[in-house]
Amino acid sequence: MTRCRDLRGLWFSAPAAVVYLPLIAIPLAYSLYLSFHYWDGRAPAWTAAGIGNYLDMAKDKVFWRSLAHNLVLVAFSLAVQLPVAMLLAVLLERTRRLDGLMRTCVFLPYVLPTVVIALVWRSLITASVPEWLASPDWSLSAILLAVTWRFIGFHTVLYLAGLGMIDRQLYEAARLDGTSEWQCFRHITLPLMKPVIIVSATLAIVGSMKYFDIVFLMTGGDPDHATELLATYLFKMGFAHDRMGYSSAIAVALVVLALGSTVAMLQLKRWSDRRQ
Amino acid sequence: MKAATAARLAILWIAAAVGVLPLVWTACTAFKTDAAVTAGIWSLPLQPTLANFAEVAKSNFSTGLLVSLAVTAGAVLVLLALAALAGYAFAHFNFVGKKCLWITLMAGLFLPVHATLIPLYRIEADLAISRSWLSLVFLAAVYVAFNLSFSVFYLRGFFAQVPSALVEAAAIDGCGSLRVFTRIMLPLSVPALVVVALVDIVMIWNEFVFALVLIRSPKLATLPLAVRNFADDTGLAIPQTCAALTLAALPVIVVFLVAQRKIISGLTEGAVQG
């Protein structure tokens, strides 16, 4: 009987595996292998590079700058985007009239094509403050604006779902005791929302590490790498500079960073679940 | 208390306005001439023109619309079939390599897709389909693969709520497991399938970077690629771009307004449960 069950499960999951593995697992292995070689994308043979590409990466100022920009994105999401999303969620939760309309407006950007988001902001900024996107010091802030515009509604709705699961009676009991709004938030809402906050932080961190579309379409990493991210840089190295091995090495670093932060956050979630 | 309510509403109205105003500006600008944009970028299009939309009609925007429609429809149908089967398997069967396959599938949720671009580009080149319509089939297959993680995850969660007793009872009644699946499980799971389909439609319709790398022929450009042509490296013609953006955003906005409850729950619930 168990053997029979084994086969059923395999048959049912096989079609998905047959599409998933060749198109995802094999390309990943291929990238890893290529990262230990030099190749211009045309020559018939690859040249063994050992860890040459990784050494280049360690010495490449633009690589580190790109990584720093990714980290700015992470920091901005955690320090500004998520707290504002939490504020909006708490305020929306208490609004009875028109809350649906407001929720729609705040969430709408998230479902738009990234091409539309990037070009709406590029057009708007080019028309109103033309020097903004060209400024090496300020162009990254334009990216932060567009990225926040895209994602804040998503996190707001995530928090709303979490708030909806909190037992109202907790607040009523606290209010009878004369607890202030802030204390209610601090001692009831925040602790109970911890699992949701960790999930949203995980998505924000991993999303910021692998971000590509809006930067590629708004600035292309320019001016002079002022908005370059790891993903846009590896894309340039592979598809514009024909350095396939180097591009793959950056890709491997990106995968390690993204999956590493995912595992770290899942561990944090497990630890915080256990403490409750 | 009154002041607090006013402040709360003010913050929310500002947030809602920030969400929508850039789109309103884009739609307004789409109806203005170049001269009108230069004269005042915030002014309303008092003498609206359709010239920008005519410009869009001359581009590959309309073929992009059809291409995106075909790729999205094909990919989503295959995706639903594969994800429903796999979601059911993960919820109700034990099999060799189950845990391993599950972890591999779920890693896809957090994977930077950019690490697969060069290999996929090479595979496509080796198949010698880069310039034929088969590249669209390849693109659709890639979309299926990259949206399986979420779809299987969501459907497994749904099927896990169906009591095993129901599965066993049907099996005892002499139903083969495929018949149990098609006759009992699939009809039960229609609401979950609708949510997954909507999320996948939005994801695939909007997708940009795979299309950029895998589609070489302008005739086969998907909608996002066709829209991107309006802003090449030399600069962008703002009113024409805005017309293309308005048209490109419209179908997504309509679908979102019609099915927003399901789309929002699909996009967020999966995250909260995980």
Side-chain angles (χ1 to χ4, degrees), chain A residues 36-60:
Chain A
F36 295 105
H37 294 81
Y38 298 122
W39 186 43
D40 65 0
R42 285 178 298 271
W46 301 357
T47 321
I51 55 166
N53 287 315
Y54 291 93
L55 291 178
D56 286 350
M57 200 164 85
K59 284 180 294 194
D60 184 352

Side-chain angles (χ1 to χ4, degrees), chain B residues 10-171:
Chain B
I11 293 174
L12 289 173
W13 278 118
I14 291 170
V18 170
V20 171
L21 281 182
L23 299 172
V24 174
W25 177 83
T26 306
C28 285
T29 307
F31 289 97
K32 289 157 89 170
T33 58
D34 284 301
V37 174
T38 329
I41 62 156
W42 305 115
S43 66
L44 289 168
L46 294 175
Q47 284 135 352
T49 168
L50 290 175
N52 302 316
F53 292 96
E55 206 63 41
V56 174
K58 273 190 266 170
S59 73
N60 57 354
F61 188 93
S62 47
T63 53
L65 206 60
L66 292 176
V67 166
S68 275
L69 215 53
V71 169
T72 306
V76 170
L77 286 177
V78 175
L79 197 45
L80 285 181
L82 299 189
L85 284 167
Y88 181 58
F90 282 112
H92 284 289
F93 299 134
N94 284 313
F95 54 94
V96 183
K98 179 177 176 180
K99 197 168 181 205
C100 193
L101 186 59
W102 178 252
I103 290 173
T104 314
L105 264 174
M106 290 309 110
L109 287 173
F110 300 96
L111 197 72
V113 299
H114 312 95
T116 62
L117 291 177
I118 291 176
L120 290 174
Y121 178 78
R122 291 306 309 169
I123 293 171
E124 193 199 33
D126 290 343
L127 294 170
I129 54 171
S130 307
R131 296 212 159 255
S132 88
W133 61 274
L134 284 170
S135 62
L136 289 177
V137 177
F138 189 67
L139 181 69
V142 169
Y143 286 161
V144 171
F146 279 85
N147 288 286
L148 267 174
S149 303
F150 161 78
S151 311
V152 172
F153 175 79
Y154 193 92
L155 290 172
R156 191 209 79 99
F158 174 83
F159 284 125
Q161 292 168 349
V162 177
S164 295
L166 188 61
V167 182
E168 301 301 333

Side-chain angles (χ1 to χ4, degrees), chain A residues 6 20 31 104 111 149 157 212, chain B residues 18-19 94 104 114-115 206 260:
Chain A
D6 281 354
Y20 184 85
S31 279
T104 307
V111 295
W149 188 72
V157 172
F212 177 87
Chain B
V18 170
N94 284 313
T104 314
H114 312 95
N206 293 349
Q260 65 165 311

Side-chain angles (χ1 to χ4, degrees), chain A residues 1-2 5-17 19-28 30-31 34 39 41-42 87-92 94-98 100-117 119-129 145 149-150 153-154 157-158 161-162 165 181 195-196 199 202-203 206 210-213 216-217 231 234-235 237-239 243-245 247-248 251-252 254-256 258-259 262 266 269, chain B residues 1 7-9 11-13 15-20 22-23 25-26 37 41-42 78 82-86 88-90 92-97 101 103-123 126 138 141-142 144-146 148-149 152 167-168 171 177-178 181 202-203 205-209 212-213 223-225 227-228 230-236 238 241-242 244-245 248-249 252-253 256-257 260 263-264 267-269 271-274:
Chain A
M1 195 59 195
T2 8
R5 262 183 214 167
D6 281 354
L7 285 180
R8 280 190 303 179
L10 279 180
W11 281 119
F12 275 81
S13 57
V19 176
Y20 184 85
L21 295 176
L23 288 171
I24 294 186
I26 292 176
L28 277 183
Y30 184 113
S31 279
L34 182 51
W39 186 43
R42 285 178 298 271
L87 173 71
L88 292 179
V90 170
L91 296 182
L92 268 175
R94 301 182 184 181
T95 308
R96 288 282 161 270
R97 275 181 307 153
L98 294 176
L101 175 68
M102 288 169 179
R103 197 180 303 206
T104 307
C105 294
V106 172
F107 194 82
L108 178 64
Y110 184 70
V111 295
L112 292 177
T114 46
V115 179
V116 170
I117 296 169
L119 295 186
V120 160
W121 282 100
R122 193 170 144 193
S123 304
L124 188 52
I125 290 174
T126 309
S128 53
V129 197
L145 175 65
W149 188 72
R150 177 178 182 206
F154 174 78
V157 172
L158 213 56
M165 291 190 286
E181 297 254 351
V196 183
V199 169
T202 308
L203 294 172
V206 180
K210 63 184 190 184
Y211 211 71
F212 177 87
D213 286 21
F216 183 84
L217 289 156
L234 82 84
F235 189 90
M237 287 297 122
F239 291 96
R243 295 179 65 190
M244 299 298 179
S247 171
S248 301
V252 170
L254 183 54
V255 171
V256 170
L259 293 187
T262 307
L266 287 179
K269 181 165 193 288
Chain B
M1 196 59 203
R8 188 181 77 211
L9 286 175
I11 293 174
L12 289 173
W13 278 118
V18 170
V20 171
L23 299 172
W25 177 83
T26 306
V37 174
I41 62 156
W42 305 115
V78 175
L82 299 189
L85 284 167
Y88 181 58
F90 282 112
H92 284 289
F93 299 134
N94 284 313
F95 54 94
V96 183
L101 186 59
I103 290 173
T104 314
L105 264 174
M106 290 309 110
L109 287 173
F110 300 96
L111 197 72
V113 299
H114 312 95
T116 62
L117 291 177
I118 291 176
L120 290 174
Y121 178 78
R122 291 306 309 169
I123 293 171
D126 290 343
F138 189 67
V142 169
V144 171
F146 279 85
L148 267 174
S149 303
V152 172
V167 182
E168 301 301 333
S177 43
L178 192 61
F181 177 73
V202 170
M203 290 294 171
W205 182 266
N206 293 349
E207 203 284 331
F208 172 71
V209 71
L212 178 70
V213 167
L223 192 63
L225 294 184
V227 171
R228 193 236 177 182
F230 283 86
D232 57 13
D233 301 329
T234 54
L236 78 169
I238 288 174
T241 308
C242 286
L245 293 174
V252 186
I253 293 177
F256 177 64
L257 291 183
Q260 65 165 311
I263 293 177
I264 291 180
L267 284 166
T268 55
E269 253 170 45
V272 178
Q273 285 160 4

Side-chain angles (χ1 to χ4, degrees), chain A residues 56-250:
Chain A
D56 286 350
M57 200 164 85
K59 284 180 294 194
D60 184 352
K61 286 211 181 75
V62 181
F63 168 79
W64 292 107
R65 245 185 111 188
S66 308
L67 178 59
H69 295 150
N70 281 104
L71 294 177
V72 169
L73 228 59
V74 170
F76 191 81
S77 316
L78 296 182
V80 179
Q81 196 188 135
L82 300 191
V84 174
M86 178 65 86
L87 173 71
L88 292 179
V90 170
L91 296 182
L92 268 175
E93 236 257 319
R94 301 182 184 181
T95 308
R96 288 282 161 270
R97 275 181 307 153
L98 294 176
D99 63 321
L101 175 68
M102 288 169 179
R103 197 180 303 206
T104 307
C105 294
V106 172
F107 194 82
L108 178 64
Y110 184 70
V111 295
L112 292 177
T114 46
V115 179
V116 170
I117 296 169
L119 295 186
V120 160
W121 282 100
R122 193 170 144 193
S123 304
L124 188 52
I125 290 174
T126 309
S128 53
V129 197
E131 55 285 350
W132 192 355
L133 285 176
S135 155
D137 296 328
W138 292 102
S139 50
L140 192 62
S141 63
I143 302 288
L144 292 177
L145 175 65
V147 170
T148 305
W149 188 72
R150 177 178 182 206
F151 284 104
I152 199 160
F154 174 78
H155 292 287
T156 303
V157 172
L158 213 56
Y159 292 150
L160 267 173
L163 289 173
M165 291 190 286
I166 297 178
D167 188 353
R168 297 280 96 196
Q169 290 180 335
L170 287 173
Y171 293 107
E172 278 154 31
R175 214 147 286 152
L176 286 181
D177 290 345
T179 320
S180 73
E181 297 254 351
W182 169 250
Q183 281 174 324
C184 279
F185 176 75
R186 175 75 190 73
H187 297 289
I188 301 175
T189 313
L190 266 190
L192 289 173
M193 289 284 281
K194 213 197 246 165
V196 183
I197 294 172
I198 293 178
V199 169
S200 105
T202 308
L203 294 172
I205 292 170
V206 180
S208 304
M209 291 311 295
K210 63 184 190 184
Y211 211 71
F212 177 87
D213 286 21
I214 287 179
V215 170
F216 183 84
L217 289 156
M218 251 175 100
T219 63
D222 292 333
D224 191 28
H225 303 298
T227 56
E228 203 75 80
L229 300 179
L230 288 177
T232 57
Y233 191 49
L234 82 84
F235 189 90
K236 259 183 210 168
M237 287 297 122
F239 291 96
H241 294 263
D242 296 334
R243 295 179 65 190
M244 299 298 179
Y246 188 53
S247 171
S248 301
I250 304 174

